[in-house]
Amino acid sequence: MPRTWRAPGRVNLIGDHTDYQDGYCLPMAIDRECRVTVAAPSGPGVRARSAQIPGIVDVAADGTTEPAGVEPPWGRFVAGAVAACTAAGIRVAPSDLTVTSTVPAGSGLSSSAALAVALVVALTDLADAPLDRIGLARLAQDTEVRATGVPAGLLDQMTALHAVPGHVLLLDCRSLTAEPIPLPRSLGVVVVHSGRSRTLVGSAYAERRTEVEAAAARLGVAALRDATEDQVRDDPRARHVVAENARVLAFADALRAGHTGELGPLMLASHASLRDDYAVSTPELDRAVALLMEHGALGARLTGAGFGGCVVGLVQRNHGDDVLAKVTRALATVGEVDPLAFAVRPGAPAAEVTPEVGAAPPAG
Ligand code: ADP
Ligand code: MG
């Protein structure tokens, strides 16, 4: 009997490029997800197909397939998950996997972590491996690092594993804790694609990491989480990280206190800092933020690592459709026909999808 696991994508409301310096971020799992269905093996190894990308992926079940050589390239996540599990002492049985996802790929909504988390929750559940949510997040991170070579932080995986419906999460990337905070019912979150897709591989992501690691070493602190604004005044990269951590905490305080008027300006300050100090924005991302603000959003910023992909907007929930329609029209007039633009709601955490009780058996 095939079994299915799911993991959500995410949107980060504030707090980017802070996770790998032990900092804070405030993401929300979204109501779009990746599903992995595991069925009996048709061959000696792990075979996988994706509903969104053509081709068949075949990797050895013993973790010996080197991810970098796997074609089609998305299969590197499968090889990465098998290798990560094997390295953690978790046996992977031969099986056939089917992947399908409603998280648009390469848009900054973390379709990659949704895939990696769905794969590791499936493989570890099947092996009865007793991993907690942090262990699973680390295993999914290891999967993605093996698959892409990009030294990404834990933000996306932690979000997919700790999500609480109706809530955003205040993540502390040092203690690895996630505090759920209710998203006020009056507020909505929208996502607008900038018109340019992004990729972390070959981008300045690794370079930024190296820059801020050097800044922390210069200051003699374990991570920029421990630095003060005074200490980083003359270093724009480090200044972004320190100021962004403060903005995340202010955003969380404002949410808890119901001071929703403070949220938008904090998001705009975050975008400006990512653009000017951290230099990870693009003209298309800046344009999408400006259009959202022009058409009634309360706040907007690039989300995820930057370098393209989506921006996130905070809206009065009952204005969301109107804002999206206006921004979509405005983007069309500058040549972005049919841009990806939609509302998201806080989604549920990664888990096995239990078959519907009493569901009719398949016909035939
Ligand atoms: P993001 O995480 O922002 O969506 P990434 O470049 O990190 O962008 O991840 C996108 C990659 O994740 C794709 O190139 C592919 O390798 C993998 N991926 C995402 N969704 C799917 C899917 N439905 N099927 C197969 N692979 C997928
Ligand atoms: Mg990704």
Side-chain angles (χ1 to χ4, degrees), residues 315-340:
V315 294
Q316 291 295 350
R317 195 173 168 191
N318 55 1
H319 291 167
D321 289 344
D322 182 51
V323 173
L324 282 170
K326 286 177 173 153
V327 171
T328 307
R329 263 203 304 278
L331 279 169
T333 63
V334 293
E336 301 292 345
V337 190
D338 216 9
L340 210 54

Side-chain angles (χ1 to χ4, degrees), residues 68 75 105 191 227 254 256 329:
V191 163
R256 290 192 206 94
R329 263 203 304 278

